[in-house]
């Protein structure tokens, strides 16, 4: 053992060369500091009063990279490639969301003076006389109070058996310096543990004391001779002393703990991991040893399992090989979880972006629903977070929340309320009791909002179609909050675009903020982002502005940038939405109904909405009018190649968009025996381009099939060839909707799609909706049924 210690000592002494410099540091590194600030970190504080009440303060909205070496950022980005396709947060191909993923931490500055309004310089204005309310505190580690078993595996920086004064600490340091050569491992450990009970306000002074620096050096020199319990005592002392996570002595201790991990029990390993967490230090090597030890464990207790999931969440990564055994254990212990533990499990799974099967996730939400009335506000919000990540709608939970959230809203913090409405918007769940309760609480909390909070609140309320007249103070107070947070947009330009697009959903356009967002400096800043694609958001804002504020004389995107982004979104649609069966079938059926491809244009009528429509023109008599083709790729219809349009030179150049098949001949031939007027009308409606009435004459007995078919189609072709009336042309925008266009269990359009229809009308179009409830079942029907449905939708729109 002695040889081993001597052999390991030189590298430790080598690491101590920078010890003095690191001891003078009093702050964490930037990544850990930003993460703690993001969550209002007080993770180490688990001492609660007897009658404590748990309230929510945010966990990160953002999602995290699984790579341990990457610093944590303030956003919701994660690699979906690592999530099983069977259960990842689904991307809705028909829904439009702004490019909210990773926030860049890089500071970029530009001149805000040109876009600073008097309002933005003034103190916060309380709209409608709403007084400012203090934000709400919270205890993020309160689940540790649920069971006494947690005491053995958690570090508590507030536990100081007997607080000592600075004079006593200074005296002990002086005595220790005089006995430096004769101090053993126990002496060093006892002294550091005693010093960790110093008054909290004096701890920074202690860390800068040279004698304390020598004491730390002495602990490293004796590290190999420390027992496991002494080593853990020292680690907990470092938590109470708030050593910076970048301190070089911590690297030495992590190395020693990794070496001893194989002989430590699971409680000791969890205590070590919790200590690293309290100090804000990422310890990937030690965590790997912890995960290896868990894999070799036959089983875990409930407290060990919950605390492990908490540690995994705080590290923002769960090894793939650990997911299945953890889930199996979780399902075994699920019935034993207490309300706060359910919230801790949901938060750990959310932060680590751990995707589990839908069946298991629903069981967790079932458990949460059963104990929802007993859960703290913080735990309730954690369940909302994991619901949003899993993209699962749990009806009983959401129904319970229509009663719970209004009851709790007056005591919740602004960031907790933000996560509630954010989850509702992601799940397309509109509940007026929830929205009204949150809307009434938010204005008094706006001074406590980060720019991210204000923008996400605006986005969520706008997405759910919560109109300004439903809460007159909500949008003005949040908009004013954005003005007060302009400086934050230097770091997070996507937040401003999120908020402004959310306001556009409900027809709100604050001109000073729009001038800032579309100004050349901000556009340049947004385009520099390498982690976010903000071009599409800029295009959406610019397009909405052009239609809703035609008098606007402020800054706009350049024509070149608009064309570039329009082409980009069109190319994306060509390989995605345009290839969906419901879209291809609608295109083919419309062409058959109206007489050919020249009467139907599949394109993005409004490129800033990023959704394709079918454009159809009808004259005043209801006859289709050919559309003028354009070379703009964002406006040129895609050639699907799904339909053929036969020509016959011997039959008057027939080009009706109807393929003459054996089935068609059989229908026409057998129609003489059909006495059902409705069936006659169904067949007749197949003949474009006019509405065919049910009393149309039937073929006479003895007719020649081929000759009469040709004559019948030729006569219809003459109708098509007739010049259209010179009256006003009616422009139709035919939309194939999906359920994701609407709020859940409702026919109310989501905010973006309501804005799109408003913009189409402003652009002079009549919207024809092919509702998913009607159109999708017709995909399994014959062409006649589709033609009859489309005929009603198209021709009734001009009557």
């Amino acid at each position: 053992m002695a040889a081993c210690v001597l052999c390991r000592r030189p590298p430790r002494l080598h690491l101590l060369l920078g010890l003095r410099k690191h001891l003078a540091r009093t702050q964490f590194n930037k990544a850990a500091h930003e993460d703690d600030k993001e969550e209002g970190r007080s993770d180490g504080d688990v001492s609660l009063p007897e009658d404590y009440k748990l309230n929510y303060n945010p966990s990160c909205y953002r999602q995290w990279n699984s790579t341990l070496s990457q610093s944590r950022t303030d956003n919701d980005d994660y690699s979906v490639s690592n999530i099983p396709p069977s259960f990842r947060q689904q991307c809705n191909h028909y829904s439009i969301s702004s490019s909210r993923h990773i926030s860049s931490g890089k500071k970029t500055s530009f001149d805000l003076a040109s876009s600073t309004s008097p309002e933005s310089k003034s103190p916060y204005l309380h709209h409608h006389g709403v007084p400012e309310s203090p934000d709400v505190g919270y205890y993020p580690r309160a689940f540790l109070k649920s069971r006494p078993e947690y005491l053995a595996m958690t570090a508590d920086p507030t536990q100081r058996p007997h607080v000592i004064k600075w004079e006593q600490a200074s005296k002990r340091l002086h005595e220790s310096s005089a006995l430096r050569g004769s101090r053993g491992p126990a002496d060093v450990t006892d002294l550091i543990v005693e010093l960790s009970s110093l008054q909290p306000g004096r701890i920074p002074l202690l860390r800068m004391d040279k004698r304390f620096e020598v004491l730390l050096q002495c602990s490293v020199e004796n590290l190999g001779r420390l027992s496991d319990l002494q080593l853990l005592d020292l680690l907990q002392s470092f938590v109470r002393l708030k050593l910076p996570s970048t301190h070089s002595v911590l690297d030495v201790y992590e190395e020693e703990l990794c070496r001893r991990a194989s002989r430590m029990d699971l409680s000791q390993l969890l205590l070590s991991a919790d200590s690293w967490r309290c100090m804000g230090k990422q310890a990937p090597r030690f965590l790997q040893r912890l995960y290896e030890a868990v894999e070799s464990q036959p089983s875990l207790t409930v407290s060990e399992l919950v605390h492990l999931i908490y540690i995994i969440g705080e590290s923002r990564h769960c090894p793939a090989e650990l997911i299945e055994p953890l889930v199996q254990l979780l399902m075994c212990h699920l019935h034993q979880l207490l309300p706060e533990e359910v919230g801790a499990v949901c938060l750990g799974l959310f932060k680590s972006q751990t995707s589990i099967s839908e069946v298991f996730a629903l069981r967790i939400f079932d458990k949460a629903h059963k104990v929802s009335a007993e859960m703290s506000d913080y735990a309730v919000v954690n369940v909302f977070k994991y619901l949003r990540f899993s993209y699962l709608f749990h009806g009983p939970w959401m129904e319970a929340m229509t009663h719970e959230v209004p009851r709790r809203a007056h005591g919740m913090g602004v960031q907790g309320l933000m996560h509630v409405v954010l989850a509702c918007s992601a799940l397309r769940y509109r509940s007026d009791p929830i929205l009204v309760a949150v809307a009434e609480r938010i204005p008094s909390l706006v001074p406590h909002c980060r720019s991210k909070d204000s923008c996400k609140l605006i986005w969520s309320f706008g997405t759910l179609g919560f109109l300004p007249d439903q809460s007159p103070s909500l949008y003005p107070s949040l908009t004013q909050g954005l003005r007060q947070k302009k400086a934050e947009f230097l770091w997070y330009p996507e937040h401003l675009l999120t908020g402004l697009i959310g306001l556009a959903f409900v027809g709100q356009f604050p001109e000073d903020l729009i001038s800032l967002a579309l100004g050349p400096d901000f556009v340049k800043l947004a385009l520099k982002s390498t982690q976010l694609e903000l071009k599409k958001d800029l295009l959406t804002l610019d397009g909405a502005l052009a239609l809703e504020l035609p008098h606007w004389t402020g800054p706009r995107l350049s024509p070149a940038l608009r064309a570039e982004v329009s082409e980009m979104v069109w190319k994306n649609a060509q390989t995605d939405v345009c290839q969906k069966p419901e879209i291809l079938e609608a295109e083919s059926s419309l062409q058959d109904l109206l007489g050919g491809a020249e009467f139907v244009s599949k394109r993005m009528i409004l490129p800033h909405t990023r959704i394709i429509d079918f454009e159809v023109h009808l004259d005043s008599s209801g006859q289709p009018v050919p559309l003028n083709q354009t070379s703009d790729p964002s406006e040129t219809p895609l050639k699907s190649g799904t339909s053929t349009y036969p020509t016959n030179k011997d039959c008057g150049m027939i080009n009706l968009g109807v393929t003459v098949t054996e089935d068609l001949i059989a229908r026409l031939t057998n129609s003489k025996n059909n006495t059902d007027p409705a069936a006659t009308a169904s067949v007749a409606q197949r003949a474009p381009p006019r509405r065919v009435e049910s009393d149309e004459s039937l073929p006479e007995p003895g007719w020649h099939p081929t000759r009469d078919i040709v004559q019948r189609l030729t006569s219809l072709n003459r109708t098509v060839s007739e010049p259209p009336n010179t009256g006003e042309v009616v422009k139709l925008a035919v939309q194939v909707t999906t359920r994701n266009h609407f709020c859940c269990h409702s026919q109310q359009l989501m905010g973006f799609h309501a804005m799109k229809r408003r913009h189409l009308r402003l652009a002079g179009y009549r919207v024809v909706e092919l509702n998913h409830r009607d159109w999708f079942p017709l995909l399994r029907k014959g062409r006649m049924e589709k033609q009859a449905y489309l005929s009603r939708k198209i021709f009734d729109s001009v009557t």
Side-chain angles (χ1 to χ4, degrees), residues 747-786:
Q747 283 301 298
Q748 177 175 336
L749 283 167
M750 299 289 284
F752 186 91
H753 300 285
M755 180 188 73
K756 178 192 173 182
R757 292 200 182 181
R758 188 170 71 242
H759 289 177
L760 284 170
R761 294 187 183 99
L762 289 173
Y765 287 85
R766 295 186 187 180
V767 178
V768 177
E769 177 188 342
L770 305 186
N771 192 279
H772 63 284
R773 295 185 177 182
D774 301 327
W775 182 245
F776 280 60
L778 285 174
L779 296 179
R780 299 186 295 270
K781 303 291 185 179
R783 185 162 294 272
M784 288 299 180
E785 289 87 346
K786 299 170 189 172

Side-chain angles (χ1 to χ4, degrees), residues 384 392-403 405 420-435 460 463-464 742-746 750:
F384 270 111
L392 279 177
F393 180 82
H394 192 274
W397 168 267
M398 301 305 290
E399 182 63 28
M401 290 303 105
T402 61
H403 305 288
V405 172
V420 169
V421 294
L422 188 63
C424 289
S425 67
L427 298 174
R428 301 180 294 107
Y429 182 74
R430 170 162 177 158
S431 169
D432 282 351
I434 293 178
L435 296 181
S460 301
T463 295
L464 292 172
F742 302 92
C743 293
C744 189
H745 306 307
S746 169
M750 299 289 284

Side-chain angles (χ1 to χ4, degrees), residues 86-103:
S86 60
F87 186 62
R88 62 174 61 141
Q89 184 169 358
Q90 297 298 320
C91 176
N92 173 16
H93 297 288
Y94 294 94
S95 294
I96 301 298
S97 61
S98 56
S99 305
R100 306 288 79 86
H101 294 299
I102 299 179
S103 288

